[in-house]
Amino acid sequence: MRAPRLHLSLTLTPCKNYGLAESRQALLAFRRVPRFSKLTSLRWFVLLPIPVLWCAAHLLGWVNFLELRSLDWRFRFRGEIDAPVKVAYVDVDSKSITDIGNQPWDRAYYAEVCAALLEAGRARAVGVDYVFSEKGVPELVDNARFAQGTDRLKRLLDATPPPPVVVAAAYAAAEDRDINGQPILRELPEADDPPENVLPPERPAFREGVIVRHPPFIGLIDTLDGGTRHVPLFARTQDGVFFHMGVELARLYWGLPRESVKIGPEALSLVRTDGTVQAVVPLQNQRDLEVNWFSRWDSPERNPRASFSHVLVAAQMMRSDIAEERAAAEEFFQRFHGAVVLIGPVDPLLQDIAPTPLDVNPVPRVGIHGNLLKTLVSGKYLQRTQTTGVVAIVFVLTGAVCALVLASGRRATWRKAGAVALLAVYAGAAFVLFSKAHVILPLIAPLGSAFTTSFAALIWQLIVEEKQRGRIKGMFGTYVSPALVDRMVESGEEPKLGGVEARITAYFSDIEGFSSFAETLPPDQLVELMNEYLTACTDIVTEQGGTLDKYIGDAVVAMFGAPVEFADHAYRACVASQLVQQRLEELRKKWTAAGSKWPAGVGRMHTRIGLNTGEAVVGNMGSLTRFNYTMMGDTVNLASRLEAAARSYGVGTLVTEATKTAAELAGDRCVFRPLDRIVVKGRSQPVQVYEILGLKESI
């Protein structure tokens, strides 16, 4: 007798377009597949310009300001470090200006201080951060004394053997005039400029116009863009090669001749007379070096300092006839023993200050030469990531963070936390690597790219998910009430893979005498009739919060209370059964009114419904490749037996005592009548059953 039902089930399947199992699988897939797997190659292609733009911004210097700030944070995180060379400073400060007078000073003072530092202080070398050019000569009517002081300084520099003193030369603000009196601005040349086209820097000179081309040693004091981070180590000019003051001081510290400095395309080397290499200095842009700052300016232990006027007085005391004064002077000069001493302006009024990575406020620029010297002698060069490395870091970090951010499923929160942790780990690695190995990893471009790309991808994914959410609601809402779908999607409640035990009300309905008129209808009319009937039944079930399990021919199988739990699921099932009976009565009248379109049996069609409430196993059951969200257990079997028993008793709806009791606790719309105690097939104990006469408002 069930053969027609099998035929009907196969016929109706195409009309539904999408089975319950498929809709369940789609919903589960929607919620369980990692989000990044849904981003198609097209989406990744669209997001690709974001990390590309960050790479370009880094390489073109658009984020240099932020990158330098992040580098300053790394310097301050690392703190001060020791250097193998002792550097001391003689400050031309406000006290010195007060004691000696406004500049320019008598150059004999510089000669006396340099001589005292080398003799009494036993300094390894002295660097003077002043350019003794003609611009430093005052325009006085009687400048005989100034000329004498200049001559004394010249004699010191021209001594044989030459003393280890480096005086400054500079391109900054160096201006000459041609034969027509027009100004010629001297600019720091590029590394690849032809030497014959490059003017020499501003150098020490005397009023007679005799330029000191190479006094014992001349050192450049220029920096790139007037900053404190990068310095040109040399400049090739018409008058030969001029090295930076830091290079000259390092050479003097090691006791090397000027010929020991060799310039290569990628490195500057200092080679001893026996051929051994003292140091190899890596070059940036074939000429420049980034200064590694070892200490703050105000660090007495690492930067011993003394006022210029104090040193000058101590130098004069060394010639005193009073032994106590000479002893005091000798004790004073002990701070300079074995040091490389730098003489330079520190008074802010002299406007020779600049910010540094370790100092919060601008400090004297003479500190650049000291830290450059420490960098050269220690070999602790700052190492920057090459272009290919920057690009690789940006793309790898961005891809990893996006993958974690866009992941979903049960561990989505942990993966998003992992994305944040990954960014923190990279930032921490950048700080630690700089602190331990002086390696500068790019920070702004990788972090900015990872954040903006993942944010854009997340926004995109939210839009895609919202569309997918609507699609799932549309498909799944065909089988489950839209309100139920909303609760499942919006609240995050979802069917579990596998079976779980839940208290539900099982619903079974079947058409009485279906075979008798099904055989008389052609297939198209049979499909039309059953679609109308099943649509009415399904709509009512889903409106009451029920979940459609399956169609078995003309039979409707549903459950109330799963996958989203309702406390009143038994009451909802009872109400739904009576609404189905009422709707079927309306359909019978409609079909009868259609006249000869339908056979007489259609107008007498009745449905039998069985309900039972209890524990059952619900979940996705089947094979690994195809499963169905369904219910199993004794509770379900009993509901099926009640639907069959309703036919024997000639009633429309048959329920168990468990269903009646649970329904009456939730509402009073249904009218129950005790019917019998029966023993159904497969059970040995009798069950009390009740008929639902109808809804109170309809009786």
Side-chain angles (χ1 to χ4, degrees), residues 167-188:
V167 294
Y171 279 95
E175 184 180 283
D176 286 336
R177 295 185 178 275
D178 58 19
I179 56 176
N180 299 319
Q182 297 300 317
I184 301 176
L185 182 63
R186 302 188 189 189
E187 296 181 350
L188 183 67

Side-chain angles (χ1 to χ4, degrees), residues 503-505 569-571 574 611-614 635 638 655-665 687-690:
R503 187 169 182 82
I504 64 169
T505 296
H569 54 82
Y571 178 69
C574 292
L611 303 177
N612 184 31
T613 300
T635 296
L638 182 53
V655 303
T656 62
E657 187 172 17
T659 301
K660 170 184 175 293
T661 302
E664 288 179 335
L665 290 175
V687 179
Q688 177 67 50
V689 294
Y690 295 81

